[in-house]
Amino acid sequence: MVIIEDRIERAKEAYERAVYQGDTSMLADAEEALDAVEADAALARGKLLHARFQSAAGAPAVEDPAELPLFERALDLYRAVGDTRGEAAALFWIGCLHQFIRRDDETAVPCLQRSYRLAAESGDAGIQSEALRHLGIAAHAAGRLDSARDQLEESSRLRRESGNLPGVASNMIGLAYIAAAQDRPADAIAILDEAQVIARAHQAHAIVRHIEQARTAM
């Protein structure tokens, strides 16, 4: 994997060769490399803003107006440099913002579907699992419980394979709600019990709180 320092160094070398030797052959590649750096930075900064929204305590969280433009900038740059994996990630976060912050599944779902397809093409199981999770959430909200269950279970399988067990526990909360909605109360309790064991083992305190909230709601 090309690291940021390598891309910056490439730009420095391209500049020096152009200025001192009159050789401009490296400029285009160096500019593309910096576009990739900018895309990564925009995506990462947008995710930090999303984390602030998700972690807000006390007063109701307010969307940061910079978040969506950051994800959209990342998407444009990833497309420009032909980075399918990056494009899948940016589309996921755009979809996540519309779903989680704006409560707009109509806008979110096409982004999430496209993200899933591109992630599958590029072999990014992490983004596949994220897109499936949020597609499952949308299906649950629309009353398509069997579809929601299938998507969350597949997301969980991918997360287990990658070692993201706190993510598995998070998915299990949704699966418990689905079980309750399908009149499977014993399954719902068992799912939450397993999720709690996983979350506590990995010190996923926020997920533990969500599990307790789910128990109360059921």
Side-chain angles (χ1 to χ4, degrees):
M1 180 179 292
V2 178
I3 60 175
I4 290 175
E5 289 81 358
D6 291 338
R7 289 166 170 166
I8 299 295
E9 188 61 31
R10 192 185 310 170
K12 178 182 176 182
E13 182 183 354
Y15 164 80
E16 291 176 349
R17 288 182 63 169
V19 171
Y20 299 135
Q21 301 174 23
D23 179 2
T24 61
S25 62
M26 291 180 61
L27 291 179
D29 286 345
E31 287 170 342
E32 184 174 297
L34 291 180
D35 283 343
V37 171
E38 184 182 346
D40 289 345
L43 187 71
R45 190 174 293 278
K47 289 167 66 175
L48 292 178
L49 296 181
H50 192 86
R52 288 187 184 281
F53 179 93
Q54 192 167 350
S55 303
V62 177
E63 177 183 346
D64 190 312
E67 184 177 338
L68 182 58
L70 283 166
F71 291 143
E72 290 174 335
R73 177 61 174 161
L75 177 62
D76 289 343
L77 289 167
Y78 284 131
R79 282 176 172 165
V81 302
D83 185 342
T84 303
R85 184 183 293 253
E87 185 179 348
L91 279 167
F92 164 72
W93 284 104
I94 290 170
C96 185
L97 181 149
H98 282 290
Q99 182 182 69
F100 184 75
I101 296 180
R102 299 188 177 182
R103 307 298 180 185
D104 179 7
D105 277 346
E106 184 176 354
T107 301
V109 166
C111 294
L112 296 170
Q113 290 172 333
R114 176 67 174 160
S115 171
Y116 175 77
R117 289 194 295 270
L118 291 176
E121 289 175 12
S122 59
D124 191 333
I127 293 298
Q128 281 182 267
S129 73
E130 295 286 0
L132 281 169
R133 167 180 166 77
H134 286 267
L135 287 169
I137 291 170
H140 187 186
R144 301 191 304 275
L145 299 182
D146 289 339
S147 177
R149 181 180 180 182
D150 289 345
Q151 288 168 323
L152 283 173
E153 287 179 344
E154 176 62 9
S155 172
S156 295
R157 183 188 69 79
L158 291 169
R159 286 181 167 187
R160 284 186 189 276
E161 288 182 354
S162 67
N164 181 9
L165 294 183
V168 172
S170 182
N171 279 353
M172 293 176 78
I173 299 170
L175 288 167
Y177 277 116
I178 292 168
Q182 292 178 325
D183 295 322
R184 296 185 288 115
D187 288 346
I189 293 170
I191 290 168
L192 289 178
D193 287 345
E194 183 181 354
Q196 191 157 35
V197 170
I198 295 171
R200 285 179 172 169
H202 293 271
Q203 299 183 338
H205 305 301
I207 294 173
V208 171
R209 289 195 297 272
H210 292 314
I211 292 168
E212 294 303 328
Q213 290 168 1
R215 290 189 192 278
T216 301
M218 293 178 193

